[in-house]
Amino acid sequence: MPQLQVTVGSQSGLHARPASVFVRAAARQSVKVGVGRPGQTPVDARSLLSVLSLAAGHGDTLELTADGDETAARAALGELAALLADDLDAVR
């Protein structure tokens, strides 16, 4: 099962808006994705409440896991890691 660690880039942490963006992206994946703190059991990345329960702040490290086809799993982890690393609160 592929895993990838990523640092939360949003200045305000993974609050409702960036978490919602992340959850919608996770729901579009063809593989099941989990997210959690390293060494802990991951939560379903498609669940907004579960993702918010992580209470991840700016600079926290989260671990993504994906279960399924290896190529799709690695693609999903890459896309979702990029989202988490980005400052989703930044005005663009």
Side-chain angles (χ1 to χ4, degrees):
M1 175 183 313
Q3 299 176 341
L4 190 60
Q5 290 192 359
V6 62
T7 301
V8 175
S10 288
Q11 292 299 314
S12 300
L14 205 52
H15 65 84
R17 195 180 87 65
S20 176
V21 171
F22 174 77
V23 165
R24 284 194 310 262
R28 288 193 306 266
Q29 303 303 318
S30 63
V31 295
K32 183 177 179 182
V33 179
V35 60
R37 296 191 181 273
Q40 296 183 354
T41 302
V43 299
D44 185 351
R46 299 169 298 181
S47 167
L48 182 58
L49 288 177
S50 295
V51 171
L52 288 173
S53 74
L54 296 171
H58 173 74
D60 286 354
T61 299
L62 295 178
E63 187 170 80
L64 297 170
T65 58
D67 194 15
D69 174 73
E70 182 81 13
T71 301
R74 292 197 182 280
L77 292 183
E79 178 182 339
L80 296 173
L83 276 176
L84 284 177
D86 195 10
D87 183 2
L88 297 172
D89 290 317
V91 177
R92 295 185 181 144

